[in-house]
């Protein structure tokens, strides 16, 4: 049996398939788009920065107190940092303070402008600011709040949430009790500083409030004379006394 008899007939007839000549059934048809969805294809750039951004902002499923929940990977990173600080890791505690100082995000911050009434009437017609206006405004703001909850959370707010979480502390006798992670961390480093840990002492010493003394010119304290001063100025001859300087109270 010859080889030509085993080969099925080509649907392209005399058309020869080869370099730059794909089969006709796979060619683009005239007037038809090759990308019907219109979505731009992502080109692999090989950028480690872009890959890290996607990985860090992704969510993971964890089991917490017997229930499964989805959390951001960034939140898990912060949770690990807080746990290390609670165990007495000074570098973790120092980094935690630095991050919260540089990223002071909180729920009280609003990513929209807030105008008091006195500022609003300068740009908005006061005649339209009736009860219906404020009801519509409150509904719009509520929608903004819901959008914010669905979106990404600021790093400072994540740190604040993790510090408010409850943790378990074990006593030396084996008993355990629950406290906020912030209280656990502070108590741990207070203990380390009292025990003589110099790094913990230097870290906590930054937050000791320094009292500033302002001189009150209405209050003047006159010190008793020393023996040397009595020997020099004890006589009644005022010519031997030093001349008073400006601003010094005379006897």
């Amino acid at each position: 049996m010859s080889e030509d008899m085993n080969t099925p007939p080509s649907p392209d007839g005399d058309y020869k398939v080869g370099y730059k000549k794909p089969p006709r059934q796979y060619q683009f048809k005239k007037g038809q788009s090759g990308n019907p969805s219109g979505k731009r294809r992502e080109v692999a750039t090989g950028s480690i920065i872009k890959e890290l951004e996607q990985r860090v902002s992704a969510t993971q499923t964890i089991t917490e107190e017997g229930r499964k929940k989805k959390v951001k990977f960034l939140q898990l990173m912060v949770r690990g940092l807080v746990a290390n600080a609670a165990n007495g890791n000074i570098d973790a505690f120092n980094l935690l303070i630095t991050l919260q100082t540089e990223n002071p995000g909180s729920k009280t911050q609003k990513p929209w402008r807030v105008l008091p009434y006195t500022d609003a009437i300068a740009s908005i017609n006061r005649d339209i600011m009736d009860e219906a206006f404020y009801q519509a405004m409150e509904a719009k703001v509520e929608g903004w709040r819901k959008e914010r909850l669905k979106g990404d959370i600021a790093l400072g707010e994540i740190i604040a949430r993790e510090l408010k979480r409850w943790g378990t502390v074990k006593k030396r006798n084996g008993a355990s009790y629950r406290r906020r992670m912030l209280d656990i961390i502070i108590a741990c480093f207070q203990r380390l500083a009292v025990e003589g840990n110099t790094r913990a002492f230097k870290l906590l010493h930054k937050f000791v409030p320094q009292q500033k003394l302002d001189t009150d010119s209405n209050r003047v304290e006159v010190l008793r004379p020393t023996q040397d001063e009595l020997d020099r100025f004890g006589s009644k001859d005022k010519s031997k006394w030093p001349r008073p300087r400006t601003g010094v109270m005379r006897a």
Side-chain angles (χ1 to χ4, degrees):
M1 189 175 291
S2 65
E3 185 178 354
D4 294 338
M5 295 179 65
N6 294 330
T7 305
S10 172
D12 297 322
D14 297 335
Y15 179 77
K16 292 183 179 181
V17 178
Y19 179 67
K20 291 186 178 181
K21 291 184 177 181
R24 288 179 176 175
Q25 63 266 30
Y26 299 116
Q27 294 180 7
F28 291 114
K29 295 181 180 180
K30 189 175 182 180
Q32 182 176 348
S33 172
N35 186 18
S37 61
K39 187 177 181 181
R40 179 179 294 181
R41 297 179 181 178
E42 292 188 2
V43 181
T45 60
S47 173
I48 189 173
I49 297 177
K50 186 176 181 180
E51 187 69 21
L52 284 173
E53 288 177 351
Q54 293 177 353
R55 296 287 183 91
V56 172
S57 59
T59 58
Q60 290 191 2
T61 304
I62 64 171
T63 303
E64 189 175 37
E65 296 180 354
R67 292 183 296 178
K68 291 185 177 181
K69 60 184 299 187
K70 291 184 177 182
V71 296
K72 295 281 188 180
F73 183 74
L74 178 60
Q75 187 174 350
L76 295 178
M77 292 169 55
V78 173
R79 185 169 298 180
L81 186 65
V82 171
N84 279 339
N87 289 328
N89 189 313
I90 297 178
D91 293 330
F93 187 33
N94 199 7
L95 179 59
L96 200 60
I97 294 173
T98 303
L99 290 175
Q100 197 168 28
T101 304
E102 295 176 352
N103 303 275
S106 64
K107 287 184 177 180
T108 57
Q109 294 181 347
K110 300 177 181 179
W112 55 80
R113 290 179 62 196
V114 179
L115 288 180
Y117 179 78
T118 53
D119 295 339
I121 59 177
S123 56
I124 302 176
N125 187 359
R126 196 185 308 182
D127 296 335
I128 66 172
M129 299 172 67
D130 52 6
E131 183 61 25
F133 171 84
Y134 285 108
Q135 289 181 359
M137 178 63 63
E138 290 169 358
K140 187 184 297 184
V141 171
E142 185 63 25
W144 294 343
R145 289 197 181 100
K146 291 181 180 179
E147 287 180 3
R148 188 183 179 211
L149 292 175
K150 291 181 181 179
D152 294 333
I153 306 174
L155 177 59
E157 188 170 332
I158 293 177
I159 295 175
R161 288 185 180 184
E162 291 300 318
L163 291 174
K164 292 178 182 178
R165 288 181 67 247
W166 290 93
T168 303
V169 181
K170 291 186 178 181
K171 295 183 178 180
R172 294 180 180 178
N173 58 3
S176 60
Y177 59 96
R178 291 170 62 83
R179 293 184 66 181
R180 299 283 186 183
M181 294 300 295
L182 178 60
D183 298 330
I184 295 174
I185 294 173
I186 293 177
C188 176
F189 280 88
Q190 284 178 328
R191 177 178 54 80
L192 290 175
V194 170
E195 291 175 353
N197 189 307
T198 55
R199 294 186 63 193
F201 177 84
K202 290 179 181 179
L203 192 59
L204 294 182
H205 184 261
K206 299 178 184 178
F207 303 97
V208 176
Q210 302 294 329
Q211 185 179 6
K212 296 181 179 180
L213 296 177
D214 297 327
T215 304
D216 189 353
S217 58
N218 296 325
R219 297 181 178 182
V220 179
E221 177 186 7
V222 179
L223 301 179
R224 292 179 178 274
T226 63
Q227 187 61 42
D228 182 61
E229 290 172 339
L230 285 175
D231 295 341
R232 292 175 60 190
F233 311 117
S235 63
K236 295 182 180 181
D237 187 2
K238 294 185 179 182
S239 61
K240 297 181 179 181
W241 292 11
R243 293 183 178 180
R245 292 173 295 177
T246 305
V248 178
M249 184 183 70
R250 299 191 181 187

